[in-house]
Amino acid sequence: QVQLVESGGGLVQAGGSLRLSCSASGRTLSASVLGWFRQAPGEDREFVGAIWWSAGDTYYADYMKARFIVSRDNAKTTMYLQMNSLKPEDTAVYYCAARPDSSTKYAYWGPGTQVTVSS
């Protein structure tokens, strides 16, 4: 079991930046991939980016990589999402999730944190 809790959401003006955190606890993350997803009202949940915990390698949805950066602090077992040049269309609930690196399915999810970008 992996427990995940997001924090750092809030209200920000367009063009601003925000850093989300995802604190992980439970089983070891060494063979895991942690990812960020978001869901806007009335929309499907979409993938933002992810990180292989042991190696620190990252990958992103194509339209995210220019403005969003995923990182992790191994000692704190915390993953981050740095969001820059925010736009109103980035408004969504942001979730972190975890999966074994041998699986394609994210099995563990946090409750989410709201990000609202005002124009």
Side-chain angles (χ1 to χ4, degrees), residues 22-94:
C22 171
S23 178
S25 61
R27 68 173 209 142
T28 179
L29 299 175
S30 60
S32 300
V33 177
L34 269 65
W36 286 101
F37 294 79
R38 69 183 187 182
Q39 187 167 22
E43 302 288 334
D44 293 333
R45 184 173 59 199
E46 63 179 349
F47 173 74
V48 175
I51 188 165
W52 266 265
W53 193 264
S54 58
D57 295 337
T58 56
Y59 69 102
Y60 302 88
D62 284 344
Y63 46 89
M64 305 288 184
K65 63 174 69 173
R67 298 185 295 120
F68 291 3
I69 301 170
V70 179
S71 63
R72 59 105 168 88
D73 184 326
N74 220 338
K76 296 181 179 179
T77 60
T78 299
M79 176 178 64
Y80 302 99
L81 179 65
Q82 177 67 42
M83 304 186 292
N84 301 317
S85 303
L86 284 163
K87 306 174 182 180
E89 50 265 42
D90 294 318
T91 295
V93 178
Y94 284 72

